[in-house]
């Protein structure tokens, strides 16, 4: 357990610290948990592909469909190609892109309790639903303002573990 925390801390500092030009290890809020090295790698690859608009990488890092309440499509699901061509530019504003690798703006967490939202032949096939594992990365986009009692704004990016590693499968905002 201690060794895995050290590996995650080392990977985190290399991935997040190196990407932002800082060398300190990221801190995770007490309620959050450090991501697995596999999820951290997937998040770094995803964030870099978003920042550089690397569409071939984004297609490889995504499931065939994306669950997206803010997108147009049946049941909030859109083909990944449509998501990256039409919807992504509305979601990934320059401000959001700038925060994708800032460790103080990220929270990693298990989202298995919501995996039913992703059961669909193009995301998580029903036959694989019980064994599927979904993780969530929250990006704090609008900071909390105590003077207005604002909850802030977080964008949630969901990843399902597949044979190809973690793949992006869903997006929504909180609140």
């Amino acid at each position: 357990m201690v060794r895995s925390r050290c590996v995650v801390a080392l990977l985190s500092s290399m991935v997040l610290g190196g990407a932002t030009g800082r060398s300190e290890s990221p801190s995770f809020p007490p309620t959050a948990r450090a991501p697995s090295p596999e999820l951290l790698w997937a998040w770094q690859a995803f964030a870099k592909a978003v920042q550089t608009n690397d569409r071939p990488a984004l297609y490889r890092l995504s499931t065939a469909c994306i669950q997206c309440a803010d997108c147009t499509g049946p049941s909030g699901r859109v083909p990944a190609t449509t998501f990256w061509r039409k919807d992504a530019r509305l979601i990934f504003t320059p401000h959001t892109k700038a925060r994708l690798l800032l460790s103080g703006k990220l929270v990693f967490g298990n989202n298995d309790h919501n995996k039913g939202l992703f059961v669909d032949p193009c995301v998580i096939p029903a036959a694989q639903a019980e064994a599927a594992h979904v993780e969530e990365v929250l990006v704090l986009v609008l900071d909390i303002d105590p003077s207005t009692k604002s909850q802030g704004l977080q964008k949630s990016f969901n990843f399902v573990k597949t044979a190809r590693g973690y793949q992006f499968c869903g997006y929504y905002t909180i609140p």
Side-chain angles (χ1 to χ4, degrees):
M1 182 69 162
V2 171
R3 182 172 179 231
S4 66
R5 284 185 186 159
C6 291
V7 169
V8 168
L10 176 61
L11 286 171
S12 298
S13 66
M14 291 176 0
V15 170
L16 300 175
T20 61
R22 298 185 311 246
S23 60
E24 76 271 6
S25 294
S27 59
F28 299 100
T31 56
R33 63 184 177 78
S36 69
E38 188 178 12
L39 178 60
L40 191 59
W41 181 91
W43 176 253
Q44 176 199 26
F46 175 80
K48 287 182 178 180
V50 166
Q51 290 176 333
T52 61
N53 197 30
D54 183 349
R55 290 249 179 101
L58 292 168
Y59 295 146
R60 280 191 312 274
L61 294 165
S62 301
T63 55
C65 294
I66 306 299
Q67 175 68 30
C68 177
D70 296 340
C71 303
T72 56
S75 305
R77 282 186 194 89
V78 295
T81 52
T82 301
F83 177 86
W84 291 113
R85 194 177 69 251
K86 292 183 178 180
D87 300 304
R89 67 178 173 256
L90 303 172
I91 293 165
F92 296 102
T93 64
H95 180 74
T96 298
K97 285 182 179 183
R99 291 182 169 222
L100 294 178
L101 291 171
L102 294 177
S103 63
K105 304 298 180 190
L106 303 176
V107 176
F108 294 86
N110 181 305
N111 200 18
D112 281 343
H113 59 281
N114 284 323
K115 72 180 170 183
L117 297 172
F118 305 102
V119 176
D120 185 272
C122 64
V123 182
I124 301 174
Q128 298 171 9
E130 190 163 328
H133 183 61
V134 178
E135 294 282 346
E136 174 178 63
V137 181
L138 297 174
V139 177
L140 183 62
V141 178
L142 181 62
D143 294 329
I144 297 167
D145 182 354
S147 67
T148 63
K149 297 184 181 168
S150 164
Q151 295 180 16
L153 172 68
Q154 295 177 334
K155 291 187 177 183
S156 172
F157 302 97
N158 291 266
F159 292 80
V160 62
K161 189 169 187 175
T162 69
R164 293 175 37 195
Y166 280 99
Q167 290 187 286
F168 173 62
C169 65
Y171 164 80
Y172 58 91
T173 59
I174 304 170

